[in-house]
Amino acid sequence: MGSVDYYEILDVDRSATDDDLRRAYRRLAMRWHPDKNHTGKKDAEAKFKDITEAYNVLSDAGKRAVYDQYGEEGLRAGGAPPQPGGGADDIFAEFFGSTPFTYCNTGAGTTARAKQQAAWDAGGGYFSGFSRDQGGGAPTTTVAPPPPPVESKLACTLEELYVGVTKKMKISRNVVDASGRMKTESEILSIEVKPGWKKGTKITFPGKGNQQWSQLPADLVFVVDEKPHDVYRRDGNDLVAVARVTLAEALGGTVVVLATLDGRELAMDVSGGGDEEEEDAPVVYPGYELVVPMEGMPIAREPSRRGSLRIRFDVAFPERLTRQQRVQIKRILDAAG
């Protein structure tokens, strides 16, 4: 053996398989890439070159056989180990699709690399552009597009959508770690639900979905869903409630009291004006709607504004009346026109 031990450089056993070599190269290349080691760039460049040369030799069955028998000197006797594509960055690109650390943050041409860098950051140090050749050959350079987003419902009460809330969601997802192995990791995501958000609002967490070989991680999307409420129904930015009153209350007036979604008590006088001398005062009839401005849902894009509260009345008629009661009621109604 010569002075260079390629197995030691890649930190693998002499019995290492092709998969072992790929994983070792992946781990070390990402660790020692010069653009990731700004403080010791010169040392990193030398280390990165050694790692690439070691992988070039040990991943080639013919070169590896010569090296195992005669060492580095035997290889050099037949010619120095070539570097495919002209350099260490090229073989790095064979694994990762590009060198993800050297790109500008502006310009349309950098979009793909920016997405790859984002995938690297989201994946905890694993760049998902690597894929295995099914025949056992070298890794391919194709980076498959990310899978469709994974959607999940985010159930919210009407109270939560009225005042806003922070929801904590625990997720578990499959990821490929830096060594190329699939693992399951858990994480707690914080979702800030803003006042006024509507059913169907989507909150996207890029790269927080499951990951597969040769694919970027899927995006995780939470879709707001509204739970039914006992009193209120939402209609756009308005709230709709139904008040059931007796015929006497409808004709003679009453006060309707509702508990608001933020815990206040709202009392509304539906007595028809309250002035005993007032003529032609409106009365509550089946289907009558009382509109209370600024007591509806907050408007998400204009926090200072709110919709209206619309109270629809259901009038309960008496099931039985005496003859005298009928005569009296008829007389009053006939007089009202």
Side-chain angles (χ1 to χ4, degrees), residues 146-320:
V150 178
E151 294 193 353
S152 179
K153 286 186 177 181
L154 181 68
C156 298
T157 65
L158 206 50
E159 287 87 352
E160 290 172 336
L161 296 174
Y162 188 88
V163 300
V165 68
T166 299
K167 284 184 171 286
K168 302 288 187 180
M169 304 295 291
K170 184 176 182 180
I171 64 168
S172 294
R173 63 191 185 110
N174 296 327
V175 298
V176 183
D177 63 18
S179 65
R181 294 183 175 88
M182 188 72 71
K183 69 175 184 178
T184 301
E185 66 177 20
S186 297
E187 184 177 355
I188 296 178
L189 301 178
S190 292
I191 305 175
E192 297 289 337
V193 178
K194 302 296 184 182
W197 273 7
K198 297 180 180 179
K199 180 178 180 179
T201 299
K202 294 184 177 182
I203 310 99
T204 301
F205 289 86
K208 292 298 184 181
N210 288 326
Q211 183 180 16
Q212 300 294 334
W213 280 104
S214 76
Q215 280 189 324
L216 299 173
D219 291 344
L220 180 59
V221 180
F222 289 97
V223 183
V224 171
D225 191 29
E226 184 182 296
K227 294 181 180 180
H229 195 272
D230 292 337
V231 176
Y232 296 104
R233 177 178 61 84
R234 185 173 186 173
D235 183 10
N237 293 318
D238 291 348
L239 288 173
V240 180
V242 175
R244 184 174 178 83
V245 296
T246 65
L247 180 59
E249 290 172 330
L251 298 177
T254 188
V255 175
V256 175
V257 179
L258 291 175
T260 63
L261 293 174
D262 58 354
R264 293 174 292 119
E265 189 176 82
L266 192 63
M268 291 145 292
D269 187 353
V270 286
S271 62
D275 187 347
E276 294 182 0
E277 302 298 327
E278 183 178 354
E279 296 182 357
D280 298 326
V283 296
V284 173
Y285 52 84
Y288 175 82
E289 185 174 272
L290 175 65
V291 178
V292 186
M294 293 294 290
E295 286 293 345
M297 293 294 294
I299 299 175
R301 295 184 179 180
E302 301 177 74
S304 61
R305 295 183 55 202
R306 295 178 182 270
S308 298
L309 170 60
R310 308 202 316 259
I311 304 174
R312 294 174 179 171
F313 285 85
D314 180 17
V315 180
F317 280 72
E319 296 183 359
R320 302 180 66 84

Side-chain angles (χ1 to χ4, degrees), residues 54-195:
Y55 178 77
N56 276 331
V57 171
L58 298 183
S59 63
D60 185 297
K63 295 174 190 170
R64 183 175 180 177
V66 172
Y67 174 76
D68 286 345
Q69 187 170 1
Y70 302 108
E72 182 197 8
E73 293 178 357
L75 284 172
R76 297 198 181 280
Q83 295 190 5
D89 282 340
D90 295 295
I91 195 169
F92 185 91
E94 288 185 22
F95 272 83
F96 302 105
S98 69
T99 303
F101 303 106
T102 52
Y103 66 89
C104 298
N105 288 325
T106 59
T110 66
T111 302
R113 288 190 178 185
K115 287 183 177 179
Q116 291 169 355
Q117 176 64 38
W120 168 266
D121 295 336
Y126 172 76
F127 184 78
S128 58
F130 172 76
S131 62
R132 296 180 183 274
D133 184 277
Q134 297 300 319
T140 69
T141 60
T142 301
V143 180
V150 178
E151 294 193 353
S152 179
K153 286 186 177 181
L154 181 68
C156 298
T157 65
L158 206 50
E159 287 87 352
E160 290 172 336
L161 296 174
Y162 188 88
V163 300
V165 68
T166 299
K167 284 184 171 286
K168 302 288 187 180
M169 304 295 291
K170 184 176 182 180
I171 64 168
S172 294
R173 63 191 185 110
N174 296 327
V175 298
V176 183
D177 63 18
S179 65
R181 294 183 175 88
M182 188 72 71
K183 69 175 184 178
T184 301
E185 66 177 20
S186 297
E187 184 177 355
I188 296 178
L189 301 178
S190 292
I191 305 175
E192 297 289 337
V193 178
K194 302 296 184 182

